[in-house]
Amino acid sequence: MIIYFQKIMTWILSPIGVIIFLFILLWLKFNKKILGILILYIILISNLPIANFFLKKLENIDENNNQVNFENVDYLIILGGGRTQLIKDKDNNDILIDYSGRYLEGIKIFNEYNFKKIIISKLKLHWDKEFDDQHLDLIRYFTNNDIKKSNILLLNDPVNTNNEAKKLIELIGKQKIIIVTSAYHAKRSKIIFQQKGFDPQVYKVNYQTKSDIQLNNFLNYLPNPQAIIMNTLLFKELMGILYYSIIK
């Protein structure tokens, strides 16, 4: 029940939630001040340079993956939530479409370094059935890419990152681990796993920010839907960081 409350509150307080709330206020009673706030708010959250600046702070692109120490680490954890699709090429070979890059990068570093186990989530979201059978496709693809099935461990039915950390401590105990996750999710993930007793390193993929936005180009300051997406990611992660920094 707490999980649903968190999801609902995060959505209500998110940029889209605030916009809908302001539109409802306008619909109930037109007010120039509310209209002005709505216009100003939309201008700010749809501004790409501003969104990119603040999300880049969260992703901390300067703290790159060269700082990850792979020595004497037995367990590689790929956090769930990254969407994938298994398709066939013209020669009937399996091709993994990995929208987050977590799994393909995980396979790459697992085969490159001396890990004992690679761990993925058998994700179970009651509000989204898309992930229900994803682990079956992933196991099939992993075994086709030089990873033995005996070296793949599953976290059974976690519903979020906190749940993954709880199930992981039950599965392997307080071992040295490296977590593969999206860059914007790295800080919150590290806090959560530290609270469960791990000393995790985080290997970041799927950066959402850009380094080549031209600040002197007027077009970049026009309302941009990508900026709203970036600000939504930023807000969601900041809410999660605040929540898990307070709730131990």
Side-chain angles (χ1 to χ4, degrees):
M1 197 66 180
I2 293 176
I3 294 169
Y4 285 104
F5 178 75
Q6 285 178 250
K7 294 288 184 183
I8 292 170
M9 287 305 299
T10 299
W11 186 87
I12 289 174
L13 298 174
S14 71
I16 297 299
V18 172
I19 289 174
I20 291 174
F21 173 72
L22 291 173
F23 267 117
I24 290 173
L25 288 182
L26 282 174
W27 179 72
L28 292 174
K29 186 177 181 180
F30 181 81
N31 183 294
K32 289 183 179 179
K33 288 184 179 179
I34 297 175
L35 178 61
I37 292 171
L38 174 61
I39 293 172
L40 179 61
Y41 186 75
I42 291 175
I43 289 172
L44 289 175
I45 67 163
S46 63
N47 184 289
L48 187 59
I50 292 176
N52 193 71
F53 175 81
F54 285 107
L55 188 59
K56 186 180 285 188
K57 294 290 185 183
L58 179 66
E59 291 188 331
N60 197 3
I61 198 167
D62 295 327
E63 184 188 294
N64 57 50
N65 289 325
N66 291 331
Q67 295 177 329
V68 176
N69 182 6
F70 295 95
E71 293 183 7
N72 302 315
V73 180
D74 293 331
Y75 296 92
L76 182 69
I77 321 301
I78 303 179
L79 295 188
R83 298 180 185 276
T84 61
Q85 184 182 3
L86 197 63
I87 62 173
K88 296 284 188 181
D89 65 11
K90 61 181 181 180
D91 298 319
N92 206 36
N93 296 314
D94 288 331
I95 300 294
L96 185 69
I97 307 299
D98 182 6
Y99 296 100
S100 71
R102 298 180 188 182
Y103 298 100
L104 291 176
E105 193 66 20
I107 292 172
K108 177 183 172 183
I109 60 178
F110 183 86
N111 287 329
E112 186 174 350
Y113 298 94
N114 191 29
F115 294 100
K116 287 183 179 178
K117 303 290 182 181
I118 188 168
I119 303 175
I120 59 176
S121 292
K122 181 184 173 185
L123 205 60
K124 186 68 175 178
L125 304 183
H126 301 298
W127 54 87
D128 189 343
K129 301 299 182 184
E130 183 173 348
F131 296 102
D132 283 6
D133 298 322
Q134 184 187 58
H135 67 286
L136 298 176
D137 287 342
L138 291 173
I139 291 172
R140 176 173 150 188
Y141 189 79
F142 282 19
T143 53
N144 288 341
N145 284 271
D146 303 322
I147 298 177
K148 295 179 182 178
K149 195 170 183 178
S150 59
N151 289 336
I152 304 171
L153 297 180
L154 280 178
L155 299 176
N156 287 317
D157 300 338
V159 295
N160 59 16
T161 305
N162 187 55
N163 207 208
E164 285 179 313
K166 286 181 179 179
K167 290 179 180 293
L168 185 64
I169 199 77
E170 295 168 0
L171 182 65
I172 66 172
K174 296 180 182 180
Q175 303 288 338
K176 290 184 178 180
I177 63 171
I178 290 176
I179 298 168
V180 180
T181 191
S182 299
Y184 63 83
H185 187 51
K187 188 174 182 65
R188 176 157 62 114
S189 302
K190 191 168 186 177
I191 290 171
I192 291 171
F193 277 83
Q194 284 175 333
Q195 288 181 351
K196 298 300 179 289
F198 291 104
D199 182 19
Q201 298 184 80
V202 183
Y203 187 94
K204 296 188 286 188
V205 299
N206 191 30
Y207 286 87
Q208 298 296 306
T209 50
K210 303 175 182 180
S211 59
D212 58 350
I213 293 180
Q214 297 179 1
L215 298 180
N216 59 351
N217 188 335
F218 171 76
L219 295 177
N220 284 330
Y221 293 91
L222 296 177
N224 189 310
Q226 182 60 31
I228 296 178
I229 294 171
M230 292 167 72
N231 275 317
T232 300
L233 286 175
L234 175 66
F235 178 82
K236 176 184 174 184
E237 291 304 314
L238 291 179
M239 286 281 288
I241 290 167
L242 177 63
Y243 177 83
Y244 287 109
S245 296
I246 297 171
I247 306 299
K248 303 295 182 182

